[in-house]
Amino acid sequence: MLKKLKLKQKFTILLLLILIVGVSFSGITLATVLNQNTKDEMTAKALSLIDTMSSVREYTLTQITPELMDDITTKFLPQAVAEYSAREVFEILRKRAEYRDFFYKEATLNPTNLRDKADSFETRIVEGFRKNKNLKQVTGFRSLPGGDVFYLARPLAVTKEICLACHSTPDAAPKTMIERYGTAGGFNWHLNDIVAAQMVSLPASGVIKKVNQSFLIIVGLVSALFAAVIFLVNFFLNREVVVPLKRITRVAEEVSIGHMDVDFEPLTNDEIGNLAKAFKRMKRSLNMAMKTLRVINHDREL
């Protein structure tokens, strides 16, 4: 099939193949880089938020809860609970427009407050932390009714004895807490048990859309660049190779039928010009040979 094609067509096919392979390879590479950069950026933002919430928890556990422990027996104060403090601080943060679609949750398998109850997806994450004690963090994307979100989760373990004052058994828990939340959940915890996953969720739909738009723009620019290269190569090939070759072919055909008044004009010093010079020398030699042959034939006739 290729043998039947002209030189320009062969070069066009070759360049189109290069275009397809180049755009495909660069597209895959670009998509990988953009996705990784996006994930790294979102991870950095999520880490900043979750570290902030961890600091709020630590402050509550070390400075607020101990001061209020004596009062809990007479009046349970949720403000003394680390999870409550972190959640409330985050809700204040969400009042700012740029954080409106961000979420924080301490997804718990057996919570005191039902708003912390882990759903099936979050339950799998907590169980994953329980099975693999060396797993310190997980990240990923999750589809929700409101759109895709990027999440970062860390294990939450019972690390302080003070937590067991409310979460060991219902009998040991403050009566005011039992009156508020009941005895259905939040008990039988043990020191160092992983009971929850600390999770921050960031909106991802808009970010993914921007990444896809950037991908399409860059691939479009690369494709346009390749198309421009194909056009320029074809233009150069046509002007510098195809047209001179056609001219040489036309002159050679004229010479082949005896028209010696035409000549090969070497317009360039490249290989095409050298070819024209070679044909010109061949024509000169052929012309001399034909003159010699005519002289010999004339002498024979005499």
Side-chain angles (χ1 to χ4, degrees), residues 65-225:
T65 305
E67 295 295 327
L68 298 178
M69 278 303 295
D70 293 339
D71 298 329
I72 286 178
T73 54
T74 57
K75 182 181 179 181
F76 177 76
L77 299 173
Q79 290 81 2
V81 179
E83 180 280 332
Y84 182 90
S85 297
R87 185 76 174 259
E88 291 301 309
V89 168
F90 200 88
E91 289 303 314
I92 294 173
L93 181 65
R94 289 185 65 233
K95 292 179 181 179
R96 299 176 60 178
E98 59 267 37
Y99 293 103
R100 184 174 55 247
D101 296 324
F102 289 53
F103 295 95
Y104 175 80
K105 183 179 180 180
E106 295 183 9
T108 310
L109 299 183
N110 179 27
T112 302
N113 190 336
L114 288 179
R115 77 172 182 176
D116 302 323
K117 180 67 176 178
D119 60 25
S120 58
F121 180 85
E122 295 161 346
T123 298
R124 289 194 296 271
I125 293 177
V126 178
E127 290 175 347
F129 285 134
R130 283 183 163 185
K131 291 178 182 178
N132 185 0
K133 301 295 184 180
N134 295 322
L135 186 61
K136 303 302 181 184
Q137 178 177 297
V138 294
T139 60
F141 292 91
R142 180 184 182 187
S143 294
L144 295 175
D148 293 336
V149 298
F150 173 83
Y151 69 87
L152 185 147
R154 286 178 176 175
L156 272 180
V158 180
T159 58
K160 298 183 183 298
E161 290 282 356
I162 197 171
C163 297
L164 298 179
C166 296
H167 297 289
S168 56
T169 63
D171 293 337
K175 293 182 179 180
T176 50
M177 188 187 83
I178 299 296
E179 292 172 359
R180 187 182 185 107
Y181 295 110
T183 59
F187 298 106
N188 298 315
W189 293 7
H190 301 90
L191 196 63
N192 297 321
D193 278 356
I194 295 175
V195 296
Q198 188 181 22
M199 301 184 67
V200 170
S201 300
L202 286 66
S205 299
V207 177
I208 293 173
K209 184 178 179 180
K210 290 180 180 179
V211 170
N212 291 336
Q213 289 175 344
S214 299
F215 172 78
L216 292 176
I217 290 172
I218 295 175
V219 169
L221 290 174
V222 171
S223 300
L225 179 61

Side-chain angles (χ1 to χ4, degrees), residues 247-264:
R247 184 164 52 245
I248 293 173
T249 301
R250 186 171 60 253
V251 173
E253 288 174 348
E254 291 291 325
V255 172
S256 69
I257 58 177
H259 295 164
M260 294 299 180
D261 53 332
V262 295
D263 203 357
F264 299 94

